[in-house]
Amino acid sequence: MNATTALSLLAAVALCACNPQSSGSQAPAAPAQSAPVQQAQPASAAVQKAEPQPAPAQTASAPASTVSAQGSNLSATGSSLSAQQTGFNIEINLASDVLFDFDKADLKPEADAELQKAAEVIREKGKGLILITGHTDSKGSDAYNKKLSLARAEAVKQWFEKHGLHYDYQTDGKGAADPIAPNTLEDGSDNPEGRAKNRRVEIVINKTKQLGE
């Protein structure tokens, strides 16, 4: 390097040292202005805002059951028994067709279920005389129907005694003398439904010491 070139380089270095804002240097960045600091809220307040509000209590409730247990219903569907209670007596009607075969006085095996229901009432309510009366429809002679109806009443009495119901019984056979439905229709033709209702055994359970007291 010659003396002239060396002097030129020294002059250039000296010029850069005197001028700090040279084209190759960047001006220092101005200090960033910080945003005003917000006052922090207490932690408890933040929790209160974040806590979900409880759901409103439900006021609807299931309606109370209005169904109450019923006692033994002797008039229930599927049963041949019907019952009527007065102040002193309970009268139970049993369909003879369920208890006996046609023209017979021997109890059928399926009669046990119906007689058990009547027995429950006698055990619970019976205090005095138990009157058992047999009835028939109008088919046949009066003498025959009375004999058959009495034999059927006796069969029911014996069933009760065999099953431990030892009461003061009275039996009777009315035959067709006391119907509860017409045996014939108005035109004189046969009325099977009416005759079926008339074929029955009535049991009157006295709730006092004497019948009808």
Side-chain angles (χ1 to χ4, degrees), residues 34 79 99 122 138 190 198:
S34 60
S79 173
L99 304 181
I122 293 176
S138 60
D190 186 37
N198 292 331

Side-chain angles (χ1 to χ4, degrees), residues 33-53:
Q33 295 182 358
S34 60
V37 178
Q38 295 182 352
Q39 185 177 1
Q41 295 182 354
S44 59
V47 172
Q48 289 179 359
K49 288 184 178 180
E51 183 179 4
Q53 295 296 323

